[in-house]
Amino acid sequence: MNYDIFNGDADGIIALLQLRLANPIESELVTGVKRDIQLLEKVTVRSGDSLTVLDISMEKNRDALLGALKIGATVYYADHHRCGDIPQHQHLQAHIDLDADTCTALIIDKLLEGQFYLWAITAAFGDNLIAKANKLAEEAGLSKEQAALLNELGTLINYNGYGSKTEDLHFHPADLYLALLKYPNPFDVIADADSPFYQLQSVYRQDMDKVLAVESCHRSANLSVFELPDSAWARRISGVYGNYLANLNPDSAHGVLTDNNDGTFTVSLRAPLSNKQGAGDICSQFDTGGGRAAAAGINALAKTELDRFIKTVEEFYT
């Protein structure tokens, strides 16, 4: 069996999109909401299986990865999140780059020597690597208007990945991937009036209108925190809203809390764009937390731990 295992956000979807546009195969798709990252555990691996794993932390999937290799599977792994020690194994091909200015789709773009570079640029926009994506767009000869369209498409694909369960999403990530696979060029998606671009554009604007009415619950020179209610729209917009805030005030960190209605918050943390470090290390200090240097999160932060979280972030970026 071939398994394509990928994060349900823009980076994971577009990383796989590039690989399968270049090398189509029949595979079983394994994905979920953006925060569903321990995806290797969901696969019953047998000897001889082939696993392609994209945009999920090797550190968080280490036990399942070692188990798959021990059974006799071959694993192609590309990612940019915290990885821990990378196992040395003849059946593991690992492409890990922890640079804060890269993402999994850009790693795949290099490996494919730019075959689908417009999609890679779209993913970089979706992963909030705005300066990097704009630079790549300029190098590719795109106009500012074209770059803006890819930015919007990447943002919309990323927006679709956020939620506590797939029922919160407008498209299951596997379905969105399959819908986009029809388009070798992202501008073809935008040109098609029946594509997911326009379906997501409308609902994204509705959710953004709601979140922009929310006042901060904590604000300082180093950190602003916003608390969102326990609702599907809030869960959908939380991560993309964090990116929006980061671009609005690049010298501050930003935290977006979504009430889980069980005494905990889901947390999206964005490091200052002018100092893209520390978010993953901060969130990893809390149970269910992790991520990368520029953007990270906590799946279930006890409300009693909120003051400690704010203090930790404040001290890091002071």
Side-chain angles (χ1 to χ4, degrees), residues 219-263:
R219 185 182 294 273
S220 72
N222 301 315
L223 172 67
S224 293
V225 179
F226 295 80
E227 181 180 334
L228 307 185
D230 171 31
S231 63
W233 73 262
R235 292 188 288 272
R236 285 194 300 264
I237 203 65
S238 60
V240 173
Y241 184 52
N243 293 341
Y244 169 85
L245 292 169
N247 288 295
L248 198 64
N249 186 358
D251 294 324
S252 173
H254 294 86
V256 179
L257 317 173
T258 309
D259 196 329
N260 291 329
N261 198 31
D262 63 357

Side-chain angles (χ1 to χ4, degrees), residues 119-180:
W119 271 118
I121 294 171
T122 304
F125 277 124
D127 223 31
N128 205 40
L129 301 177
I130 304 301
K132 180 66 174 285
N134 276 321
K135 180 182 178 183
L136 293 172
E138 185 178 349
E139 290 174 354
L142 300 183
S143 67
K144 290 184 178 180
E145 292 76 14
Q146 288 174 314
L149 286 172
L150 295 187
N151 188 348
E152 185 176 8
L153 176 58
T155 298
L156 292 175
I157 297 171
N158 209 47
Y159 153 76
N160 183 76
Y162 282 90
S164 63
K165 54 188 183 297
T166 54
E167 287 75 16
D168 289 336
L169 313 183
H170 295 292
F171 292 87
H172 190 287
D175 294 334
L176 183 55
Y177 158 74
L178 290 172
L180 295 174

Side-chain angles (χ1 to χ4, degrees), residues 74-92:
T74 59
V75 182
Y76 180 100
Y77 209 120
D79 186 46
H80 65 130
H81 299 92
R82 287 167 59 106
C83 59
D85 293 331
I86 300 174
Q88 300 301 307
H89 195 285
Q90 62 178 343
H91 291 151
L92 172 63

Side-chain angles (χ1 to χ4, degrees), residues 16-82:
L16 181 61
L17 191 66
Q18 293 174 94
L19 278 177
R20 294 298 161 246
L21 286 171
N23 180 30
I25 64 170
E26 289 190 13
S27 65
E28 182 170 329
L29 303 178
V30 181
T31 188
V33 298
K34 179 179 175 65
R35 290 180 182 270
D36 190 359
I37 60 171
Q38 290 176 287
L39 295 173
L40 273 175
E41 296 178 354
K42 298 186 176 185
V43 180
T44 302
V45 181
R46 295 178 174 82
S47 179
D49 285 349
S50 175
L51 281 60
T52 297
V53 188
L54 302 170
D55 200 39
I56 57 174
S57 166
M58 185 179 285
E59 184 178 63
K60 295 290 187 180
N61 289 272
R62 183 176 179 81
D63 290 345
L65 172 60
L66 293 174
L69 293 170
K70 184 177 181 180
I71 286 170
T74 59
V75 182
Y76 180 100
Y77 209 120
D79 186 46
H80 65 130
H81 299 92
R82 287 167 59 106

